[in-house]
Amino acid sequence: MAGNLGTMKQFLAAAAFVVSLGRAWGAGPDFQKEVRPILSANCFHCHGNDRTTRMAGLRLDVREGLYSTRKAGPLIVPGKPERSLLYQRITAKEASRRMPPPQAHKTLKPEEIATIRRWIEAGAEWQEHWAFRAPARPAMPEVKRTDWVRNPVDRFVLARLERMGLAPAPEAPRHTLVRRLSYDLTGLPPDPEDVAAFVRSSDPEGDYLKLVDKYLASPHYGEHRARYWLDAARYGDTHGLHIDNYREMWPYRDWVIRAFNENMPFDRFTIEQLAGDLLPAPTLEQRIATGFQRCNVTTNEAGVIIEEVEAMYAKDRADTVGAVFLGLTVGCATCHDHKFDPISQRDFYALTAFFRNTTQHAMDGNIYDPPPIAIVPSAADRARWEEIEARERVLRSLLASEGRRPRQEAELFRLDFPGRIRVSGPGGETELDFGAGQALGAGPDGGLALHLKGTALEAPGAPALGGSQAFTVSAHFLFPPGEEGFIIAEQIEKIDEKKRRGWGFYVSSRIPRVRFHTEDGKSYEIAAGHLDQLVPGTWNRVEFHYDGTGEPLGVRLWINGRESVTTRDAKARFEAEFRANAPLTAGTPKRAEGGAFASLRIFRPVLSAEEEELLKLDLEKRAIRRRGAITHVMEERQDQKPYAHLLYRGMYDAPRDRLEANTPAVLPPMPASLPRNRLGLAQWLVSEENPLTARVTVNRFWQEIFGTGLVKTAEDFGSQGEPPANQELLDWLAVEFRESGWDVKKFFRLLVTSSAYRQAALATPEKLEKDPDNRLLSRGPRFRLDAEAIRDTALAASGLLVPAVGGPSVKPYQPDGIWEAVAMHGSDTRFYKRDSGDALYRRSLYTFWKRTAPPALLEIFNAPSREFCTVRRERTNTPLQALAVMNDVTFVEAARAMAARAMAEASGEARFQYMAQRLMSRMLEERELDIVRDAYRAFLRHYDSNLEDARKLIAQGESKPPENVSAAELAALTMVANQLMNLDEVLSK
């Protein structure tokens, strides 16, 4: 604990203040809301959960410690602060005895000391931290103004206001209500016709409810809700680290939009994203959903340590679950026990274990589709894709059934060792002499093998393979000890100093790989999965098959009888020949431990009718894949159960105890009936016993509507987070949400139909004093729109917005040089190539998100980088934001498009009103019209005299201005529209 109160004079004055407050206040403070935050901020660092920083063996964060008896006496004597050791130490006159001590650099304020005194005087009642107690539905509070209450939300809000001596604000004007509602449910400004109809309505209550239902049913509702969720999921279109190459992930984004639009229950929404792949017979949609935990940043940087990267990924996933579903900073227990919350290091690493059992490799290969992935056919191809997969299952079942014929093959080349080196090829059988470092020795299964030391075997007579010729290379070999690369077989012909052609079969970093070199100087690698690493010093059977289609997708790999999930450029095709007229080489020259070969064969499979059909189906699937998309998914390992090691001080290279997957001990335990995997974790998160998930979720939804959550620290419901502004309301909402079947649309309908929501955003001096941040909802919400809504407003109001839902990410206008300033050479996102046509005018939700350089316009308005989970954006107001709205081509073009529409659909000053209605949902008042008139006249005088300036202005953007209007008039009206777009009323909700 920290600090001292300064001079003795200051201390005595503070003590007197404490005593006077203690006498004046009779009611005891709430332990959780008033006392625990003081202890947490000032005492828990030295007397909390973390045993490594705990002093004197004393804990103040648990009941047993706070009520313990020390040598000097009991820490707390209920009703008697002067006899309580805790109070004696925080009020001690001697600085050496006073707590917190000076070296802690913390000082208790007089009012904080007074709070602790009053708590002890009132009996020192202990309460468990509010967030760890299961929410119970509280009784409806009594209120005086029952006529104001429309639904239960209002009762809780009004009861709190009445206790504070405050009254609600009057209802907002009708145009304001429609605008607010439209933004909150769709993220877009309302249609002027909706506003006009509601303003004229003779049944405002009924028509308001109809508008609520209309916006909830809009496809744009799901887009708006998804935008918040994608921050939490850290969605992006690039890998995020090192080269930061493109990552195809947008089908997951579209799944989120569909889930919200279809009103998927939030418990199912949670389960499918955390463990859709582990559900019985998972559908493609359920697998796509698991992209939630594939959105984390990844790397392929040479020199990284795999174990360190794996620990980083697991931590990110545990942190994300902690923030999104538990509202806890679990990552604070990475290096030591959490200093403020009862989360131990063991708890944290047991939580990471759920995410350490996937088939994903730590290295992303710098490709857009590192496995595991799901192929997502287009809507037009989906039915045919499912037909093909069904037929493939039938054919594979036939091939695997008993009595199937042995595999037929036409042998092209063989290298074996029946007491000699025998080569069999198109020219017949030959025998090779033993060279230096070549000798026969023990092989597998009691046979002979050729052992190599410091040399390779060069075998002539191998056929020149290439073109459309299908072939298979199979080897039975000893992978030598050590970590050097190894050549299984290669046939390479040098063309010139820079080019060569041929194929090679290698082991690098223990992983078998095939590489094709085409005569145009390009090469294409196909690598086995990381779980198929070979163990040095072991015998292995490896095989690759090339189907003659001239593309990496036509290559398959088998490792010890099991087909491997390969990594390769799925979009590539060989653009030149790789056929090489060269001998075949087996083994690695100059490698001391050169390995050994029992056999090496090249053959052309003779396909059965079933295999021929499978090949044709596979070719059709590849064509469908090119027309569709892929997305990253989760996939569980089947060869082990989830586990992790506790990492000493968070260091990847200091593993300690092995821990099975488990949930934090402070929360209700996972029932034994649940599987100890991601599915069990997801089911536990949404179980009735879990005290956090429902609370955390409704708090975040509340934050989306009212700007700040009932718990302001949406990411932290622990002791360092802010307590709820209205816990009874939060608990009622959590229980209501859960018991409604986790119905998201019903929940938002509840909020926006309340009287609390419909208040005008009018403050009074009294409200600014008692409720300065509107945490109690003494008035309607008013705050700056988020980045996406600001850009989308300009596009929608101007008529430029393309309302299509879903699809690949797009690249709208962006200043030059932003990507180039941060990108590495070799990155496929090094240069920003702007899109054209409709792609320029899509909703901001679809903007391509490069994590090392997020969309510049959105970042100016506080959009996160999406490198990590974000459940609460910052909201700043800066001059740079105003400059962006006034000067960015997006807004200038939108202003010109709006001005052109106004000129086409109205005349004279009606044009000003036309634009105001689309931006502010109301008509300009006379005093405002005076300002607009003067501005327009000034602009018009300038552009009449400077036509070239006018032409330059109205030429901004790709869309073309109308040809049959005055350039000066259009430019002047464009500037008026641009000014209107920059009004606080337009940029705020």
Side-chain angles (χ1 to χ4, degrees):
M1 308 203 293
N4 70 56
L5 296 175
T7 65
M8 183 58 67
K9 182 177 180 180
Q10 291 171 317
F11 174 74
L12 292 174
F17 175 73
V18 168
V19 172
S20 66
L21 287 178
R23 290 171 180 167
W25 294 336
D30 183 281
F31 177 76
Q32 283 301 329
K33 295 179 181 179
E34 299 177 72
V35 178
R36 186 183 177 94
I38 298 172
L39 299 177
S40 177
N42 296 281
C43 311
F44 283 5
H45 180 79
C46 299
H47 300 296
N49 183 56
D50 185 6
R51 62 185 181 280
T52 63
T53 59
R54 191 179 304 142
M55 304 296 289
L58 174 62
R59 292 185 66 174
L60 300 180
D61 62 321
V62 294
R63 183 187 187 99
E64 295 76 15
L66 191 58
Y67 293 96
S68 62
T69 298
R70 314 289 290 177
K71 290 182 179 179
L75 213 62
I76 298 291
V77 179
K80 300 178 180 179
E82 284 78 7
R83 290 181 55 190
S84 300
L85 186 58
L86 174 69
Y87 187 75
Q88 293 172 13
R89 295 300 298 272
I90 65 175
T91 57
K93 296 179 181 180
E94 301 85 2
S96 60
R97 285 186 50 78
R98 197 177 311 132
M99 288 290 171
Q103 63 268 26
H105 304 291
K106 293 179 182 293
T107 301
L108 285 177
K109 299 174 184 177
E111 57 266 31
E112 292 175 327
I113 297 175
T115 296
I116 292 174
R117 178 187 178 90
R118 288 190 299 113
W119 172 67
I120 297 174
E121 286 177 335
E125 181 185 0
W126 164 272
Q127 294 171 330
E128 183 185 6
H129 183 57
W130 67 270
F132 300 143
R133 301 195 304 268
R137 188 187 291 272
M140 287 289 114
E142 294 295 324
V143 295
K144 298 174 183 176
R145 286 191 53 185
T146 56
D147 60 316
W148 187 77
V149 174
R150 281 189 168 100
N151 67 34
V153 171
D154 297 328
R155 278 194 170 273
F156 288 100
V157 170
L158 184 58
R160 184 66 191 277
L161 291 178
E162 290 178 347
R163 286 201 300 272
M164 296 292 292
L166 297 174
E171 187 162 291
R174 292 187 186 182
H175 71 271
T176 300
L177 276 182
V178 181
R179 187 174 187 272
R180 181 186 295 172
L181 183 68
S182 182
Y183 275 113
D184 282 335
L185 296 185
T186 71
L188 295 171
D191 190 301
E193 285 71 26
D194 283 348
V195 179
F198 186 61
V199 169
R200 296 192 306 266
S201 174
S202 59
D203 179 19
E205 184 67 20
D207 287 341
Y208 180 81
L209 297 179
K210 289 177 182 177
L211 277 175
V212 171
D213 292 338
K214 174 183 177 178
Y215 292 147
L216 287 173
S218 166
H220 303 308
Y221 163 83
E223 291 178 315
H224 188 50
R225 296 275 77 79
R227 195 261 296 168
Y228 294 101
W229 185 259
L230 295 179
D231 277 358
R234 66 262 193 254
Y235 169 85
D237 294 295
T238 61
H239 290 309
L241 295 174
H242 192 45
I243 289 181
D244 197 25
N245 268 358
Y246 172 59
R247 168 194 293 180
E248 190 154 281
M249 199 74 199
W250 60 264
Y252 166 73
R253 179 242 292 145
D254 287 2
W255 179 90
V256 175
I257 296 171
R258 287 194 300 275
F260 279 118
N261 275 335
E262 294 168 5
N263 200 25
M264 179 183 289
F266 191 81
D267 57 344
R268 182 179 150 204
F269 183 75
T270 299
I271 290 170
E272 293 196 4
Q273 289 188 87
L274 288 177
D277 59 307
L278 297 177
L279 293 170
T283 64
L284 175 60
E285 292 294 305
Q286 289 168 334
R287 294 183 63 218
I288 292 172
T290 65
F292 174 78
Q293 285 292 39
R294 287 296 304 279
C295 284
N296 62 293
V297 296
T298 59
T299 187
N300 199 60
E301 183 178 359
V304 299
I305 300 168
I306 298 297
E307 291 79 5
E308 182 178 18
V309 175
E310 289 174 340
M312 180 179 75
Y313 293 175
K315 171 178 166 53
D316 172 89
R317 288 166 176 162
D319 287 350
T320 298
V321 166
V324 174
F325 299 104
L326 298 175
L328 295 176
T329 55
V330 296
C332 291
T334 302
C335 305
H336 46 69
D337 291 345
H338 201 297
K339 293 187 181 298
F340 304 102
D341 294 330
I343 302 170
S344 67
Q345 253 195 307
R346 296 182 70 86
D347 287 335
F348 176 71
Y349 285 104
L351 185 62
T352 70
F354 288 107
F355 309 108
R356 274 187 168 268
N357 200 47
T358 75
T359 62
Q360 178 192 356
H361 187 24
M363 306 292 272
D364 59 43
N366 289 328
I367 58 176
Y368 80 103
D369 61 342
I373 61 167
I375 297 170
V376 185
S378 67
D381 286 326
R382 183 71 64 93
R384 176 57 184 158
W385 180 272
E386 293 172 354
E387 290 174 3
I388 292 173
E389 291 206 314
R391 180 59 181 163
E392 284 179 327
R393 288 192 291 271
V394 171
L395 293 171
R396 291 196 181 100
S397 177
L398 288 172
L399 290 171
S401 62
E402 289 187 16
R404 59 159 291 190
R405 66 173 182 83
R407 182 171 72 175
Q408 300 296 307
E409 54 196 42
E411 189 164 84
L412 304 176
F413 179 86
R414 174 190 289 268
L415 182 63
D416 59 1
F417 312 99
R420 62 191 189 281
I421 303 175
R422 182 171 66 183
V423 178
S424 305
E429 185 178 303
T430 59
E431 185 175 320
L432 301 181
D433 295 331
F434 289 93
Q438 300 174 358
L440 292 179
D445 305 321
L448 292 175
L450 179 68
H451 289 252
L452 304 174
K453 287 193 176 183
T455 187
L457 175 67
E458 187 173 286
L465 305 170
S468 59
Q469 179 184 13
F471 63 90
T472 299
V473 177
S474 176
H476 193 184
F477 75 105
L478 173 67
F479 180 42
E483 297 298 332
E484 300 173 59
F486 183 75
I487 299 172
I488 302 170
E490 68 175 9
Q491 190 179 28
I492 303 292
E493 178 184 0
K494 186 176 180 180
I495 301 174
D496 56 34
E497 291 302 318
K498 295 183 178 180
K499 297 179 182 178
R500 54 183 183 163
R501 59 183 166 225
W503 58 269
F505 198 6
Y506 314 104
V507 180
S508 176
S509 299
R510 300 190 179 190
I511 294 175
R513 307 166 190 267
V514 181
R515 183 174 288 272
F516 293 88
H517 302 270
T518 52
E519 57 191 14
D520 58 358
K522 297 180 180 179
S523 65
Y524 308 84
E525 182 177 274
I526 300 92
H530 75 287
L531 296 179
D532 292 317
Q533 295 183 39
L534 304 185
V535 178
T538 63
W539 284 92
N540 298 274
R541 293 182 184 272
V542 295
E543 179 176 303
F544 82 83
H545 175 70
Y546 167 66
D547 65 6
T549 56
E551 56 187 23
L553 279 177
V555 179
R556 300 166 69 185
L557 268 166
W558 284 264
I559 314 297
N560 294 316
R562 186 170 64 87
E563 185 169 6
S564 180
V565 177
T566 58
T567 301
R568 66 281 156 283
D569 184 350
K571 295 180 179 178
R573 287 193 168 189
F574 303 161
E575 297 175 0
E577 180 60 73
F578 67 84
R579 188 188 306 273
N581 292 299
L584 183 143
T585 300
T588 306
K590 299 181 181 179
R591 177 164 178 170
E593 291 292 336
F597 289 87
S599 65
L600 195 155
R601 301 171 58 234
I602 302 174
F603 56 89
R604 184 179 72 252
V606 178
L607 303 181
S608 67
E610 294 88 352
E611 290 168 328
E612 287 277 8
E613 186 178 354
L614 278 172
L615 177 59
K616 291 178 181 177
L617 292 174
D618 186 54
L619 292 174
E620 187 177 355
K621 286 178 74 175
R622 289 186 219 169
I624 292 175
R625 171 177 175 154
R626 292 189 189 95
R627 295 193 296 268
I630 67 95
T631 194
H632 297 56
V633 299
M634 295 290 278
E635 183 179 76
E636 197 79 349
R637 291 182 62 166
Q638 301 301 317
D639 59 340
Q640 63 181 31
K641 292 182 178 180
Y643 74 93
H645 287 280
L646 186 150
L647 302 182
Y648 176 66
R649 293 186 175 179
M651 298 185 293
Y652 73 90
D653 57 352
R656 294 294 192 263
D657 296 348
R658 176 180 166 129
L659 303 172
E660 303 301 322
N662 209 346
T663 53
V666 68
L667 299 173
M670 279 181 73
S673 59
L674 294 182
R676 283 300 191 274
N677 57 21
R678 286 179 287 112
L679 179 58
L681 173 66
Q683 292 170 332
W684 171 81
L685 284 170
V686 296
S687 66
E688 186 174 345
E689 292 74 27
N690 191 306
L692 288 168
T693 303
R695 276 187 178 128
V696 170
T697 302
V698 299
N699 184 70
R700 204 162 52 241
F701 289 162
W702 183 278
Q703 173 183 273
E704 293 173 17
I705 297 296
F706 294 105
T708 305
L710 289 165
V711 177
K712 182 178 181 179
T713 51
E715 70 287 348
D716 188 3
F717 276 45
S719 60
Q720 290 296 95
E722 287 199 13
N726 191 329
Q727 186 178 340
E728 292 77 16
L729 174 56
L730 177 65
D731 285 355
W732 187 90
L733 290 171
V735 175
E736 176 68 15
F737 181 50
R738 189 184 67 216
E739 293 184 354
S740 75
W742 302 85
D743 190 322
V744 177
K745 285 190 177 182
K746 182 178 180 181
F747 182 82
F748 278 103
R749 195 177 196 278
L750 176 72
L751 296 189
V752 300
T753 56
S754 67
S755 293
Y757 175 79
R758 301 191 218 183
Q759 294 177 92
L762 298 175
T764 65
E766 184 182 19
K767 289 182 178 181
L768 290 176
E769 179 185 354
K770 295 182 177 180
D771 187 21
D773 298 321
N774 202 27
R775 299 295 308 284
L776 306 181
L777 280 192
S778 60
R779 53 197 178 274
R782 186 179 187 275
F783 49 88
R784 178 181 57 72
L785 295 168
D786 282 346
E788 292 86 346
I790 289 173
R791 178 178 174 272
D792 293 349
T793 293
L795 295 176
S798 65
L800 288 174
L801 182 70
V802 174
V805 176
S809 297
V810 295
K811 299 184 181 75
Y813 303 114
Q814 177 168 291
D816 294 336
I818 291 178
W819 282 17
E820 293 80 354
V822 301
M824 296 182 64
H825 291 276
S827 172
D828 61 13
T829 59
R830 183 182 178 192
F831 301 104
Y832 188 85
K833 184 179 179 181
R834 176 174 62 81
D835 283 333
S836 60
D838 286 355
L840 293 173
Y841 312 112
R842 299 288 305 282
R843 285 196 74 167
S844 303
L845 173 74
Y846 303 111
T847 298
F848 190 99
W849 211 283
K850 178 177 170 67
R851 300 202 218 219
T852 54
L857 178 62
L858 305 185
E859 192 173 29
I860 287 172
F861 287 95
N862 304 117
S865 70
R866 299 248 178 98
E867 293 171 286
F868 306 101
C869 165
T870 302
V871 295
R872 179 171 57 124
R873 286 190 183 185
E874 294 180 339
R875 185 174 286 115
T876 63
N877 296 289
T878 70
L880 189 59
Q881 295 167 352
L883 289 171
V885 176
M886 288 190 290
N887 295 286
D888 188 273
V889 63
T890 298
F891 294 97
V892 176
E893 181 184 27
R896 189 256 297 151
M898 176 180 285
R901 289 184 68 191
M903 292 177 72
E905 299 185 30
S907 60
E909 293 185 355
R911 293 169 176 173
F912 305 149
Q913 300 291 13
Y914 177 94
M915 297 190 297
Q917 285 177 304
R918 279 151 184 78
L919 289 169
M920 299 184 289
S921 300
R922 67 173 178 85
M923 303 283 277
L924 294 169
E925 298 174 4
E926 189 59 35
R927 61 185 180 81
E928 296 169 324
L929 266 176
D930 289 341
I931 297 171
V932 172
R933 285 190 201 103
D934 291 345
Y936 176 74
R937 289 166 184 161
F939 288 133
L940 187 59
R941 284 194 300 270
H942 171 78
Y943 288 119
D944 272 337
S945 305
N946 299 273
L947 277 176
E948 188 56 33
D949 286 354
R951 294 188 184 101
K952 286 181 180 178
L953 176 67
I954 65 176
Q956 291 291 304
E958 186 180 277
S959 64
K960 302 300 181 186
E963 297 179 355
N964 57 345
V965 299
S966 162
E969 287 186 34
L970 179 57
L973 200 58
T974 295
M975 290 301 295
V976 171
N978 184 259
Q979 286 189 332
L980 291 176
M981 284 181 180
N982 216 354
L983 292 174
D984 281 353
E985 187 174 344
V986 174
L987 300 177
S988 300
K989 184 189 80 169

